[in-house]
């Protein structure tokens, strides 16, 4: 089983990826959160740092772009190659209204003739590096998927990651694993399954259902349990000391890069996932005023540190 760590803007930055790789491993490819391409092709400082080879030393990463402009995409692919990477991804999945309103991300699925014209231009000549896409299965309805699939099958993508939800379903609507069955049945090259894999048992059920599954991409499941990829490979669950080391290293990495307050904010944003629906942990996390308090909250240890 090949495991991709899903790109998650605002969370899975270079600090996160390196600490995760060092402490847990088990990931074949880390997706980089998207670069929002512009007319001038000037990336933000954060985007430039994220793709910097130094930032990704020792990791296999997949840079990603968000654009509806074929020229911008091809120029960016040149840049990706110049940075020393040998593959790149296009985002057809982002459901954020600010993105889809401009016809980008999953907004590109709303107009399939325009999407076809886009890919005709992208693939008009040889590409600087092989291109993959990460897509949803429709804009309004899963019934759109067969047509989207037929379109994608017409282009030589390195792989296609399928988040088995529509744009409308955002991140919490029901999933449609049957859409992945269809991708396998139609012979889409190298389909990657994405959506709601939280446990090794979820992955086993997926394989039982879709025996051709070779690659999965996991996001929130890995935020909740950083040892999930290791467990999928038959390794042990994360122990308490390991989790302490994980959160402490992340906090220190972010504190050194940003600022203590910002680092604590990021840690709390991440810890939303391991805490889940546990009301007591949520309360402790909200009140925590330092990293130890946050860790105690997540591990369910007594009251949070720090003054109330
Ligand atoms: C906070 C957040 C940020 C995300 N950022 C990106 C992104 O930059 N690029 C992308 O393709 N998907 C992004 N996604 C979607 C995830 O990569 C993934 O497709 C989605 O969470 C479903 O997988 P999961 O159920 O395993 O989490 C983001 C999701 C979340 C929750």
């Amino acid at each position: 089983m090949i495991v991709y760590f899903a790109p998650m803007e605002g969370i899975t930055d270079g600090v996160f990826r390196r600490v995760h790789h060092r402490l847990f491993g088990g990931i074949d490819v880390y997706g980089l959160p998207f670069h929002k391409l512009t007319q001038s092709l000037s990336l933000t400082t954060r985007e430039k740092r994220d793709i910097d080879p130094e930032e990704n030393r020792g990791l296999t990463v997949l840079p990603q772009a968000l654009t509806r402009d074929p020229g911008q995409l091809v120029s960016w692919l040149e840049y990706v190659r110049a940075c020393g990477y040998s593959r790149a991804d296009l985002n057809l999945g982002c459901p954020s209204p600010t993105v889809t309103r401009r016809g980008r991300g999953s907004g590109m699925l709303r107009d399939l003739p325009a999407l076809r014209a886009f890919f005709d231009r992208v693939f008009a000549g040889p590409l600087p590096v092989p291109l993959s896409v990460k897509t949803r299965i429709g804009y309004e309805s899963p019934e759109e998927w067969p047509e989207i699939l037929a379109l994608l099958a017409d282009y030589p993508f390195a792989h296609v990651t399928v988040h088995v939800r529509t744009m409308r379903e955002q991140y919490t609507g029901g999933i449609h694993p049957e859409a992945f069955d269809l991708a396998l049945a139609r012979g889409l090259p190298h389909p990657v399954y994405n959506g709601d894999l939280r446990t090794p048992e979820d992955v086993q059920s997926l394989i039982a259902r879709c025996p051709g599954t070779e690659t999965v991409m996991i996001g929130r499941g890995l935020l909740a349990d950083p040892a999930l990829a290791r467990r999928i490979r038959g390794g042990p669950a994360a122990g308490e000391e390991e989790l302490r080391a994980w959160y402490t290293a992340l906090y220190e990495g972010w504190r050194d890069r940003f600022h203590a307050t910002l680092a604590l904010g990021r840690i709390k944003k991440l810890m939303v996932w391991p805490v889940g629906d546990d009301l007591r942990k949520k309360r402790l996390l909200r009140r925590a005023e330092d990293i130890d308090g946050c860790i105690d909250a997540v591990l369910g240890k007594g009251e949070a540190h720090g003054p109330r």
Side-chain angles (χ1 to χ4, degrees), residues 6-9 33-34 64 91 134 163 171 194-196 219-220:
M8 305 189 94
E9 215 259 313
F34 59 72
Q64 189 189 62
N91 182 311
K134 179 162 178 280
H163 180 185
Y171 291 105
N194 175 232
D196 286 16
R220 292 164 295 179

Side-chain angles (χ1 to χ4, degrees), residues 9-21:
E9 215 259 313
I11 304 176
T12 62
D13 66 354
V15 168
F16 183 101
R17 296 190 295 269
R18 288 195 309 273
V19 175
H20 184 269
H21 177 70

Side-chain angles (χ1 to χ4, degrees), residues 25-257:
I27 300 296
D28 296 284
V29 179
Y30 287 85
L32 300 191
F34 59 72
H35 285 176
K36 215 182 256 184
L37 305 192
T38 58
Q39 223 45 49
S40 62
L41 283 170
S42 50
L43 299 178
T44 63
T45 308
R46 181 186 59 71
E47 288 171 338
K48 278 191 209 145
R49 181 174 57 201
D50 203 52
I51 198 172
D52 188 327
E54 270 307 303
E55 187 79 350
N56 297 300
R57 193 192 276 271
L59 311 177
T60 302
V61 301
L62 180 63
Q64 189 189 62
L66 185 74
T67 181
R68 55 182 278 197
D69 182 312
Q72 276 177 14
L73 179 62
V74 173
S75 303
W76 178 80
L77 294 176
E78 294 280 4
Y79 173 72
V80 168
R81 186 176 62 180
C83 290
Y85 300 102
S86 55
R87 49 199 292 187
D89 195 63
L90 174 71
N91 182 311
L92 297 182
C94 182
S96 158
T98 53
V99 166
T100 57
R101 221 181 287 131
R102 294 170 178 220
R104 298 191 288 195
S106 62
M108 291 178 89
L109 303 176
R110 209 167 11 178
D111 183 349
L112 296 188
L115 186 60
R116 187 173 281 284
F118 170 86
F119 284 129
D120 283 346
R121 285 188 54 198
V122 168
F123 287 105
L127 292 180
V129 292
L131 180 69
S132 54
V133 285
K134 179 162 178 280
T135 186
R136 298 247 174 177
I137 59 166
Y139 190 80
E140 296 286 351
S141 152
E143 286 171 19
E144 297 160 31
W145 180 232
E147 208 183 328
I148 295 171
L149 193 53
L151 186 156
L152 296 176
D154 283 343
Y155 299 92
F157 295 112
H159 69 261
V160 176
T161 303
V162 186
H163 180 185
V164 290
R165 285 194 173 90
T166 62
M167 180 288 294
R168 285 275 173 237
E169 289 162 336
Q170 297 282 312
Y171 291 105
T172 49
I175 52 166
H176 307 274
E178 67 281 3
F180 195 66
D181 290 338
L182 197 62
L184 290 170
R186 292 277 165 88
L188 197 68
H190 307 295
V192 177
Y193 176 92
N194 175 232
D196 286 16
L197 296 175
R198 306 293 171 109
T199 63
E201 292 71 34
D202 289 344
V203 176
Q204 278 157 17
S205 308
L206 173 69
I207 294 168
R209 181 198 168 105
C210 313
T213 309
E214 289 173 353
T215 311
V216 294
M217 174 182 277
I218 305 178
R220 292 164 295 179
L222 275 160
L223 301 187
D225 174 9
L228 179 56
R230 185 172 80 190
R231 289 171 62 214
I232 288 169
R233 297 174 197 284
E240 193 177 309
E241 284 318 304
E242 225 180 349
L243 289 173
R244 266 187 199 281
W246 159 242
Y247 292 119
T248 305
L250 270 182
Y251 171 74
E252 289 174 356
W254 281 333
R255 183 200 56 198
D256 294 349
R257 171 157 292 180

